[in-house]
Amino acid sequence: MLKQIINFFYFNTRFEARLKNAFKILEKNKKIKNLYKLKERLSNIRYKIKKNTINDGYFKYNLDLYLSLNQFIYSRLINKPIFTSKLMFSMANNDNFIFPLPKIYLDEINKIVKVNYLISKVLFYTFLTFFFLYQLSIILKSAFLLFNKKAYKSKKILLDSVPKLNFESLKDDKEVNFFKWVIKKFDINSDSIFIHNNAEIKNQKIILGKNKYKVLYQKNIFTCCLNFNRYLLSLKKTLFIVIKIIFFGKIELLLLSKELFNFHLFECSKNDQNYDLCLFNNSNMVFRPLWTHVNERINPGSVFVYFYSTNLIPLLQEIDKEKYFDVYGYSLHSWPNYITWSDIHSEWLSNSINKKIKLIKTSFVPFAGKHTKLIKKRRTLTIFDVPPKKLGIYYLLNNPYNIYTLDYCKKFVEDIIRAIPESIYRDIDIIFKIKREYKNIHPLYKKYINEITSHKNIKLINDISPESVIDISDATISIPFTSTAITSLRKGKHSIYYDPSEKLSKNNCLENEVKLVTSFKELENWITDCFEK
């Protein structure tokens, strides 16, 4: 509801016009880089505490409350469109910057744009008060779950931030969906329950061999930990730490009130009803929930971050030859375990996080779309794109190193179609697999794709998994540097990246075995070699 209200009053037609104007001014005055630089500095802010009167009891869980606070502020307040747009308007129009943030962040912002400290401070404390009361209401409301508490004897696997994935009962174990990938990757050979909070995924079950696996929607993932004594003890501990926070004047920590309650709930549960495996992905990776520290201590090696895509490393700075600023918050990470796609990915991640982490590798992650067994009729070439976003999204600067402009993406497709010799074109099937069908695709790109797939020998697919298409493909061409090329390679298909700008190198590619083609002639030769009789 709150998000809808903000969108109605703030992100409207007038907003888009103001945003475009601010972007043009910043671009003309070469100030966009200053915004990226500032966000990197904001992600590196850490509270310096002389006496850890509040933090001491959490260190045994390898938990630093102040680092968690930095993670929360950056991921929930700073790395959001409303903050970026407010900053852009202030920088472009020389207006005072007003935003609800602690003073330590406002001081850094004040170095590039004048901050109205008084109003920002009032807004922050107002926000903090209402947010604390909101969190308290959620904590009290969770008491009603005691009347519907659930305890599970099977292994429990938590899936955080998952889209509408499928768990169909496939007879062919070689066909892989996300759930089967988890079962195989973590060698889960006993009855298990996949718990998630996506209401669009129906409760389902599957039998594989002697084991039964269930997919279960649970609005509150902490239901399995609840009983009357644990609830009261957790509430008591939370209220006690809240009093300490207020008494010692560290009231910013009230932002973590609900997280503290969930932490103490898991702590009270000890070895009973903790999760055997917790999987978080890169869509929500900056803030680590406090309770996962307890789960990891009780069950070492149970909390993981996995990447459903390898298209992670910014690319534009290689084309523009400008300095790269980390605006994604990798320096804030405190996760213990990661799943990566390659040695290069592991090395890049270790350097970005700059702390000791455990890394395990995977071949691919079948994360998106419905897995369907397609019928192969002829030899098949598949094109994997990344759709350009409409200009309003581009102007928000949420992805500062995005190379996927309308011109870049159109040229990627146009060059591939032109490079297919007429003799081959008549004898093969061509599939165009759009990465994602969503409302923010640039309308001119959507129009272009609809035109070529309606008038040419090209089939458009957008509603099934990339793996389903790769399985019937003889060769695939992917836009740099997406994961479909790696998945194709590991499924034994001919696979390349094609860069229509002719400026990229393999320096930022996470898999050296995939060839990067950067010229039209080379692209033409590669297609001919793959499909000539």
Side-chain angles (χ1 to χ4, degrees):
M1 173 65 82
L2 179 61
K3 186 176 181 180
Q4 291 175 335
I5 293 173
I6 292 174
N7 287 340
F8 179 78
F9 286 102
Y10 193 78
F11 297 108
N12 47 40
T13 305
R14 182 171 174 268
F15 165 80
E16 291 186 3
R18 292 178 62 208
L19 183 65
K20 179 180 179 181
N21 182 60
F23 176 86
K24 295 297 183 183
I25 293 173
L26 294 178
E27 186 179 46
K28 179 181 178 181
N29 296 329
K30 298 182 179 180
K31 289 186 177 181
I32 289 178
K33 189 189 298 185
N34 292 343
L35 190 145
Y36 301 153
K37 187 176 182 180
L38 172 64
K39 290 188 75 171
E40 182 182 64
R41 292 204 304 263
L42 293 175
S43 72
N44 288 322
I45 283 178
R46 303 291 183 272
Y47 279 92
K48 296 179 180 178
I49 308 301
K50 295 181 180 178
K51 189 176 181 181
N52 274 308
T53 51
I54 296 172
N55 221 0
D56 287 345
Y58 298 95
F59 283 143
K60 66 179 180 180
Y61 295 98
N62 196 28
L63 168 60
D64 180 352
L65 283 183
Y66 294 99
L67 176 58
S68 296
L69 177 61
N70 292 137
Q71 292 173 353
F72 184 92
I73 291 172
Y74 189 79
S75 62
R76 303 291 197 269
L77 297 177
I78 292 173
N79 203 26
K80 294 292 183 182
I82 191 167
F83 171 84
T84 305
S85 58
K86 292 282 288 183
L87 185 59
M88 290 175 66
F89 294 151
S90 296
M91 291 174 62
N93 303 319
N94 294 318
D95 294 335
N96 286 355
F97 179 77
I98 300 172
F99 202 81
L101 285 173
K103 185 176 182 298
I104 190 172
Y105 291 91
L106 295 176
D107 287 342
E108 194 64 50
I109 296 169
N110 194 53
K111 293 177 181 178
I112 70 164
V113 62
K114 188 172 178 57
V115 170
N116 188 318
Y117 280 90
L118 178 60
I119 299 179
S120 294
K121 187 175 181 180
V122 171
L123 285 175
F124 177 69
Y125 287 122
T126 302
F127 166 75
L128 184 62
T129 301
F130 281 100
F131 189 67
F132 169 70
L133 293 174
Y134 168 72
Q135 292 180 98
L136 186 60
S137 70
I138 293 177
I139 293 171
L140 296 175
K141 185 179 178 181
S142 65
F144 291 100
L145 295 173
L146 292 168
F147 300 102
N148 190 32
K149 61 182 180 181
K150 297 178 181 179
Y152 306 107
K153 294 182 180 179
S154 302
K155 278 190 174 182
K156 297 187 299 301
I157 303 163
L158 176 67
L159 303 178
D160 179 77
S161 300
V162 292
K164 188 178 179 181
L165 299 169
N166 289 282
F167 193 53
E168 58 276 287
S169 180
L170 300 173
K171 294 181 180 179
D172 186 358
D173 286 345
K174 293 181 180 180
E175 292 189 26
V176 180
N177 60 23
F178 178 75
F179 299 95
K180 287 186 177 180
W181 173 82
V182 174
I183 291 168
K184 183 177 180 181
K185 187 66 188 176
F186 293 94
D187 195 24
I188 303 171
N189 295 316
S190 60
D191 293 355
S192 305
I193 300 174
F194 290 93
I195 295 174
H196 62 89
N197 58 2
N198 186 342
E200 293 187 1
I201 303 178
K202 296 179 180 179
N203 292 346
Q204 301 172 56
K205 62 182 179 180
I206 185 172
I207 298 176
L208 293 176
K210 298 180 180 180
N211 302 319
K212 298 178 181 178
Y213 303 95
K214 294 181 180 179
V215 176
L216 181 65
Y217 166 71
Q218 200 163 280
K219 186 175 182 180
N220 189 317
I221 63 171
F222 306 102
T223 305
C224 57
C225 304
L226 281 171
N227 65 36
F228 188 73
N229 291 333
R230 289 173 185 167
Y231 177 82
L232 287 182
L233 184 56
S234 302
L235 182 60
K236 178 182 176 182
K237 288 186 174 184
T238 303
L239 292 176
F240 176 70
I241 194 70
V242 164
I243 292 171
K244 285 183 68 176
I245 287 170
I246 295 173
F247 180 79
F248 288 106
K250 309 298 182 185
I251 62 172
E252 294 96 331
L253 288 170
L254 292 179
L255 291 170
L256 303 177
S257 300
K258 181 169 65 72
E259 287 290 329
L260 287 165
F261 174 78
N262 294 336
F263 171 90
H264 290 298
L265 190 60
F266 259 71
E267 187 183 37
C268 293
S269 301
K270 299 187 184 298
N271 294 325
D272 182 28
Q273 296 300 325
N274 63 290
Y275 284 101
D276 296 274
L277 179 63
C278 306
L279 293 176
F280 297 79
N281 60 61
N282 54 293
S283 67
N284 190 21
M285 64 181 177
V286 175
F287 179 73
R288 179 183 174 185
L290 272 56
W291 64 267
T292 62
H293 291 264
V294 180
N295 207 94
E296 180 70 12
R297 186 170 189 241
I298 293 172
N299 189 5
S302 61
V303 178
F304 279 87
V305 170
Y306 65 93
F307 295 82
Y308 53 75
S309 172
T310 59
N311 194 16
L312 305 167
I313 302 179
L315 302 175
L316 187 60
Q317 82 282 2
E318 185 173 7
I319 295 175
D320 290 350
K321 308 301 180 185
E322 293 188 352
K323 186 182 184 303
Y324 161 61
F325 297 101
D326 175 22
V327 300
Y328 303 101
Y330 283 103
S331 64
L332 285 161
H333 282 211
S334 58
W335 301 94
N337 310 295
Y338 292 82
I339 300 173
T340 62
W341 288 61
S342 66
D343 290 333
I344 299 173
H345 186 191
S346 297
E347 182 181 356
W348 176 81
L349 194 62
S350 296
N351 292 334
S352 299
I353 295 172
N354 198 28
K355 67 182 289 290
K356 187 176 181 180
I357 53 178
K358 181 180 178 181
L359 299 158
I360 63 173
K361 287 186 294 184
T362 187
S363 296
F364 64 93
V365 180
F367 189 69
K370 181 180 180 180
H371 194 89
T372 303
K373 193 165 187 177
L374 301 174
I375 298 175
K376 182 180 176 69
K377 297 180 179 179
R378 300 191 296 176
R379 291 180 300 166
T380 302
L381 171 68
T382 299
I383 304 168
F384 290 101
D385 79 335
V386 172
K389 297 179 181 179
K390 60 184 181 181
L391 290 176
I393 303 298
Y394 181 78
Y395 291 149
L396 265 174
L397 303 175
N398 285 340
N399 187 351
Y401 300 102
N402 181 17
I403 65 171
Y404 309 116
T405 63
L406 176 63
D407 290 341
Y408 186 94
C409 295
K410 279 189 66 176
K411 192 172 190 306
F412 169 77
V413 180
E414 288 170 349
D415 283 359
I416 294 173
I417 295 173
R418 285 196 303 115
I420 303 173
E422 185 65 30
S423 57
I424 292 175
Y425 187 89
R426 294 192 303 267
D427 296 332
I428 66 172
D429 288 330
I430 303 170
I431 296 176
F432 185 86
K433 176 66 176 74
I434 196 165
K435 183 174 182 179
R436 194 175 292 112
E437 179 70 29
Y438 60 111
K439 63 181 180 180
N440 288 327
I441 293 179
H442 198 297
L444 294 181
Y445 184 75
K446 184 178 286 190
K447 180 181 178 182
Y448 168 71
I449 295 304
N450 288 336
E451 287 176 353
I452 64 169
T453 53
S454 62
H455 294 98
K456 294 182 179 291
N457 180 33
I458 303 173
K459 182 180 180 181
L460 175 65
I461 292 181
N462 57 26
D463 57 349
I464 63 174
S465 69
E467 290 78 22
S468 300
V469 182
I470 291 170
D471 286 343
I472 65 164
S473 300
D474 295 278
T476 67
I477 304 174
S478 302
I479 202 165
F481 284 117
T482 50
S483 53
T484 51
I486 300 176
T487 303
S488 298
L489 180 74
R490 292 175 181 169
K491 282 179 172 283
K493 312 296 181 177
H494 297 290
S495 175
I496 61 167
Y497 290 117
Y498 174 61
D499 169 37
S501 75
E502 302 183 9
K503 294 181 179 179
L504 292 180
S505 70
K506 293 290 288 289
N507 291 338
N508 293 307
C509 178
L510 296 182
E511 180 52 78
N512 275 333
E513 291 184 33
V514 181
K515 184 177 182 180
L516 172 64
V517 172
T518 58
S519 74
F520 180 82
K521 185 62 178 177
E522 188 180 7
L523 174 67
E524 195 173 35
N525 291 339
W526 183 84
I527 293 174
T528 301
D529 290 342
C530 287
F531 290 98
E532 66 181 0
K533 294 180 181 179

mmCIF file of all heavy atoms in Angstrom, residues 1 25 53 78 84 92 112 122 125 193 198 256 266 288 298 312 360 374 402 452 458 490 498 517:
data_model
loop_
_atom_site.group_PDB
_atom_site.id
_atom_site.type_symbol
_atom_site.label_atom_id
_atom_site.label_comp_id
_atom_site.label_asym_id
_atom_site.label_seq_id
_atom_site.Cartn_x
_atom_site.Cartn_y
_atom_site.Cartn_z
ATOM 1 N N MET A 1 0.825 -1.202 0.000
ATOM 2 C CA MET A 1 0.000 0.000 0.000
ATOM 3 C C MET A 1 0.867 1.262 0.000
ATOM 4 O O MET A 1 0.643 2.187 -0.772
ATOM 5 C CB MET A 1 -0.922 -0.015 1.213
ATOM 6 C CG MET A 1 -1.713 1.284 1.393
ATOM 7 S SD MET A 1 -2.893 1.597 0.053
ATOM 8 C CE MET A 1 -4.248 0.587 0.598
ATOM 9 N N ILE A 25 21.042 17.700 -17.625
ATOM 10 C CA ILE A 25 21.892 18.718 -17.004
ATOM 11 C C ILE A 25 23.153 18.083 -16.426
ATOM 12 O O ILE A 25 24.279 18.579 -16.632
ATOM 13 C CB ILE A 25 21.124 19.478 -15.897
ATOM 14 C CG1 ILE A 25 20.005 20.315 -16.516
ATOM 15 C CG2 ILE A 25 22.072 20.369 -15.090
ATOM 16 C CD1 ILE A 25 19.096 20.965 -15.498
ATOM 17 N N THR A 53 28.696 -1.378 24.015
ATOM 18 C CA THR A 53 27.779 -1.721 25.100
ATOM 19 C C THR A 53 26.579 -2.514 24.609
ATOM 20 O O THR A 53 25.934 -3.219 25.383
ATOM 21 C CB THR A 53 27.270 -0.429 25.774
ATOM 22 O OG1 THR A 53 26.780 0.454 24.755
ATOM 23 C CG2 THR A 53 28.380 0.257 26.536
ATOM 24 N N ILE A 78 19.218 4.029 0.625
ATOM 25 C CA ILE A 78 20.096 4.734 -0.312
ATOM 26 C C ILE A 78 20.037 4.158 -1.715
ATOM 27 O O ILE A 78 19.889 4.898 -2.698
ATOM 28 C CB ILE A 78 21.548 4.729 0.208
ATOM 29 C CG1 ILE A 78 21.641 5.598 1.464
ATOM 30 C CG2 ILE A 78 22.521 5.222 -0.861
ATOM 31 C CD1 ILE A 78 22.974 5.547 2.162
ATOM 32 N N THR A 84 17.999 8.216 -5.290
ATOM 33 C CA THR A 84 18.791 8.612 -6.467
ATOM 34 C C THR A 84 18.164 9.807 -7.168
ATOM 35 O O THR A 84 18.866 10.751 -7.554
ATOM 36 C CB THR A 84 18.917 7.432 -7.443
ATOM 37 O OG1 THR A 84 19.467 6.298 -6.767
ATOM 38 C CG2 THR A 84 19.814 7.800 -8.618
ATOM 39 N N ALA A 92 21.398 18.751 -9.981
ATOM 40 C CA ALA A 92 21.145 19.424 -11.257
ATOM 41 C C ALA A 92 20.637 20.846 -11.072
ATOM 42 O O ALA A 92 20.995 21.752 -11.845
ATOM 43 C CB ALA A 92 20.137 18.615 -12.076
ATOM 44 N N ILE A 112 29.179 17.112 -1.808
ATOM 45 C CA ILE A 112 28.948 17.394 -3.235
ATOM 46 C C ILE A 112 27.679 18.205 -3.471
ATOM 47 O O ILE A 112 27.507 18.780 -4.543
ATOM 48 C CB ILE A 112 28.905 16.108 -4.076
ATOM 49 C CG1 ILE A 112 27.648 15.286 -3.780
ATOM 50 C CG2 ILE A 112 30.146 15.258 -3.896
ATOM 51 C CD1 ILE A 112 27.376 14.234 -4.833
ATOM 52 N N VAL A 122 14.706 15.929 11.056
ATOM 53 C CA VAL A 122 13.304 15.783 11.492
ATOM 54 C C VAL A 122 12.645 14.626 10.745
ATOM 55 O O VAL A 122 11.937 13.795 11.340
ATOM 56 C CB VAL A 122 12.522 17.097 11.272
ATOM 57 C CG1 VAL A 122 11.027 16.867 11.505
ATOM 58 C CG2 VAL A 122 13.039 18.189 12.194
ATOM 59 N N TYR A 125 14.005 11.151 12.069
ATOM 60 C CA TYR A 125 13.464 10.724 13.363
ATOM 61 C C TYR A 125 11.965 10.423 13.266
ATOM 62 O O TYR A 125 11.456 9.539 13.970
ATOM 63 C CB TYR A 125 13.741 11.771 14.431
ATOM 64 C CG TYR A 125 15.199 11.809 14.841
ATOM 65 C CD1 TYR A 125 15.953 12.963 14.725
ATOM 66 C CD2 TYR A 125 15.818 10.660 15.314
ATOM 67 C CE1 TYR A 125 17.296 12.990 15.088
ATOM 68 C CE2 TYR A 125 17.160 10.667 15.681
ATOM 69 C CZ TYR A 125 17.891 11.833 15.558
ATOM 70 O OH TYR A 125 19.215 11.835 15.919
ATOM 71 N N ILE A 193 11.415 -30.296 2.849
ATOM 72 C CA ILE A 193 10.393 -29.298 2.560
ATOM 73 C C ILE A 193 11.069 -28.020 2.088
ATOM 74 O O ILE A 193 11.948 -27.483 2.782
ATOM 75 C CB ILE A 193 9.534 -28.994 3.809
ATOM 76 C CG1 ILE A 193 8.829 -30.257 4.293
ATOM 77 C CG2 ILE A 193 8.501 -27.914 3.495
ATOM 78 C CD1 ILE A 193 8.079 -30.055 5.591
ATOM 79 N N ASN A 198 6.535 -16.889 -1.558
ATOM 80 C CA ASN A 198 5.940 -16.413 -2.809
ATOM 81 C C ASN A 198 4.574 -17.074 -2.987
ATOM 82 O O ASN A 198 4.484 -18.268 -3.298
ATOM 83 C CB ASN A 198 6.841 -16.739 -3.997
ATOM 84 C CG ASN A 198 6.329 -16.138 -5.293
ATOM 85 O OD1 ASN A 198 5.173 -15.762 -5.407
ATOM 86 N ND2 ASN A 198 7.199 -16.045 -6.286
ATOM 87 N N LEU A 256 16.411 -1.940 13.163
ATOM 88 C CA LEU A 256 16.590 -3.395 13.125
ATOM 89 C C LEU A 256 15.713 -4.121 14.142
ATOM 90 O O LEU A 256 15.954 -5.297 14.435
ATOM 91 C CB LEU A 256 18.064 -3.748 13.382
ATOM 92 C CG LEU A 256 19.101 -3.143 12.437
ATOM 93 C CD1 LEU A 256 20.505 -3.539 12.880
ATOM 94 C CD2 LEU A 256 18.856 -3.588 11.005
ATOM 95 N N PHE A 266 15.265 -17.310 16.805
ATOM 96 C CA PHE A 266 16.108 -18.428 16.384
ATOM 97 C C PHE A 266 17.073 -18.829 17.486
ATOM 98 O O PHE A 266 17.365 -20.013 17.665
ATOM 99 C CB PHE A 266 16.875 -18.051 15.111
ATOM 100 C CG PHE A 266 16.270 -18.616 13.866
ATOM 101 C CD1 PHE A 266 15.070 -18.112 13.385
ATOM 102 C CD2 PHE A 266 16.859 -19.658 13.191
ATOM 103 C CE1 PHE A 266 14.481 -18.626 12.249
ATOM 104 C CE2 PHE A 266 16.286 -20.189 12.052
ATOM 105 C CZ PHE A 266 15.088 -19.665 11.572
ATOM 106 N N ARG A 288 22.024 -8.825 5.071
ATOM 107 C CA ARG A 288 21.940 -10.199 5.554
ATOM 108 C C ARG A 288 21.052 -10.242 6.789
ATOM 109 O O ARG A 288 21.359 -9.594 7.808
ATOM 110 C CB ARG A 288 23.324 -10.742 5.894
ATOM 111 C CG ARG A 288 23.280 -12.168 6.434
ATOM 112 C CD ARG A 288 24.655 -12.676 6.835
ATOM 113 N NE ARG A 288 24.538 -13.988 7.469
ATOM 114 C CZ ARG A 288 25.556 -14.659 8.009
ATOM 115 N NH1 ARG A 288 26.779 -14.117 7.988
ATOM 116 N NH2 ARG A 288 25.361 -15.833 8.574
ATOM 117 N N ILE A 298 24.556 -22.701 14.374
ATOM 118 C CA ILE A 298 23.984 -23.986 14.755
ATOM 119 C C ILE A 298 24.287 -25.046 13.700
ATOM 120 O O ILE A 298 24.626 -26.189 14.017
ATOM 121 C CB ILE A 298 22.448 -23.859 14.930
ATOM 122 C CG1 ILE A 298 22.123 -22.963 16.126
ATOM 123 C CG2 ILE A 298 21.808 -25.234 15.131
ATOM 124 C CD1 ILE A 298 20.644 -22.634 16.253
ATOM 125 N N LEU A 312 27.056 -9.861 -14.135
ATOM 126 C CA LEU A 312 27.218 -9.106 -12.900
ATOM 127 C C LEU A 312 28.236 -7.985 -12.995
ATOM 128 O O LEU A 312 28.069 -6.919 -12.412
ATOM 129 C CB LEU A 312 27.655 -10.056 -11.768
ATOM 130 C CG LEU A 312 26.766 -11.271 -11.510
ATOM 131 C CD1 LEU A 312 27.485 -12.256 -10.610
ATOM 132 C CD2 LEU A 312 25.462 -10.841 -10.897
ATOM 133 N N ILE A 360 31.766 -22.294 -3.453
ATOM 134 C CA ILE A 360 31.623 -23.546 -4.172
ATOM 135 C C ILE A 360 31.072 -23.217 -5.556
ATOM 136 O O ILE A 360 30.365 -22.232 -5.735
ATOM 137 C CB ILE A 360 30.711 -24.551 -3.445
ATOM 138 C CG1 ILE A 360 29.277 -24.016 -3.320
ATOM 139 C CG2 ILE A 360 31.263 -24.887 -2.077
ATOM 140 C CD1 ILE A 360 28.310 -25.040 -2.767
ATOM 141 N N LEU A 374 10.765 -29.279 -25.447
ATOM 142 C CA LEU A 374 10.385 -28.838 -26.783
ATOM 143 C C LEU A 374 10.711 -29.906 -27.814
ATOM 144 O O LEU A 374 11.601 -30.747 -27.616
ATOM 145 C CB LEU A 374 11.114 -27.542 -27.131
ATOM 146 C CG LEU A 374 10.857 -26.350 -26.193
ATOM 147 C CD1 LEU A 374 11.752 -25.186 -26.578
ATOM 148 C CD2 LEU A 374 9.394 -25.940 -26.219
ATOM 149 N N ASN A 402 25.333 0.087 -17.493
ATOM 150 C CA ASN A 402 24.477 -0.656 -18.410
ATOM 151 C C ASN A 402 24.843 -0.356 -19.864
ATOM 152 O O ASN A 402 24.767 0.778 -20.317
ATOM 153 C CB ASN A 402 23.018 -0.265 -18.143
ATOM 154 C CG ASN A 402 22.056 -1.018 -19.035
ATOM 155 O OD1 ASN A 402 22.412 -2.024 -19.627
ATOM 156 N ND2 ASN A 402 20.844 -0.524 -19.125
ATOM 157 N N ILE A 452 10.239 -8.414 -36.502
ATOM 158 C CA ILE A 452 11.115 -9.419 -37.110
ATOM 159 C C ILE A 452 10.625 -10.834 -36.847
ATOM 160 O O ILE A 452 10.857 -11.745 -37.661
ATOM 161 C CB ILE A 452 12.579 -9.277 -36.637
ATOM 162 C CG1 ILE A 452 12.707 -9.538 -35.133
ATOM 163 C CG2 ILE A 452 13.154 -7.923 -37.007
ATOM 164 C CD1 ILE A 452 14.142 -9.682 -34.670
ATOM 165 N N ILE A 458 11.739 -16.515 -37.707
ATOM 166 C CA ILE A 458 12.252 -16.422 -36.344
ATOM 167 C C ILE A 458 11.095 -16.604 -35.375
ATOM 168 O O ILE A 458 10.077 -15.924 -35.468
ATOM 169 C CB ILE A 458 12.924 -15.058 -36.085
ATOM 170 C CG1 ILE A 458 14.060 -14.817 -37.086
ATOM 171 C CG2 ILE A 458 13.468 -14.994 -34.659
ATOM 172 C CD1 ILE A 458 14.650 -13.441 -37.009
ATOM 173 N N ARG A 490 28.149 -25.695 -21.366
ATOM 174 C CA ARG A 490 28.196 -26.853 -20.467
ATOM 175 C C ARG A 490 27.164 -27.914 -20.816
ATOM 176 O O ARG A 490 27.188 -29.004 -20.263
ATOM 177 C CB ARG A 490 28.056 -26.370 -19.024
ATOM 178 C CG ARG A 490 29.301 -25.573 -18.616
ATOM 179 C CD ARG A 490 29.236 -24.954 -17.269
ATOM 180 N NE ARG A 490 30.476 -24.204 -17.027
ATOM 181 C CZ ARG A 490 30.662 -23.376 -16.025
ATOM 182 N NH1 ARG A 490 29.702 -23.175 -15.137
ATOM 183 N NH2 ARG A 490 31.812 -22.747 -15.874
ATOM 184 N N TYR A 498 28.401 -12.269 -28.684
ATOM 185 C CA TYR A 498 28.650 -11.328 -29.773
ATOM 186 C C TYR A 498 28.499 -9.904 -29.248
ATOM 187 O O TYR A 498 27.472 -9.544 -28.680
ATOM 188 C CB TYR A 498 27.688 -11.552 -30.942
ATOM 189 C CG TYR A 498 27.847 -10.491 -32.010
ATOM 190 C CD1 TYR A 498 29.067 -10.329 -32.679
ATOM 191 C CD2 TYR A 498 26.802 -9.622 -32.334
ATOM 192 C CE1 TYR A 498 29.237 -9.341 -33.644
ATOM 193 C CE2 TYR A 498 26.957 -8.640 -33.295
ATOM 194 C CZ TYR A 498 28.182 -8.494 -33.944
ATOM 195 O OH TYR A 498 28.344 -7.507 -34.888
ATOM 196 N N VAL A 517 33.013 -12.891 -29.866
ATOM 197 C CA VAL A 517 33.121 -12.444 -31.256
ATOM 198 C C VAL A 517 32.825 -10.955 -31.308
ATOM 199 O O VAL A 517 31.809 -10.501 -30.772
ATOM 200 C CB VAL A 517 32.133 -13.213 -32.159
ATOM 201 C CG1 VAL A 517 32.109 -12.622 -33.562
ATOM 202 C CG2 VAL A 517 32.514 -14.688 -32.203
#
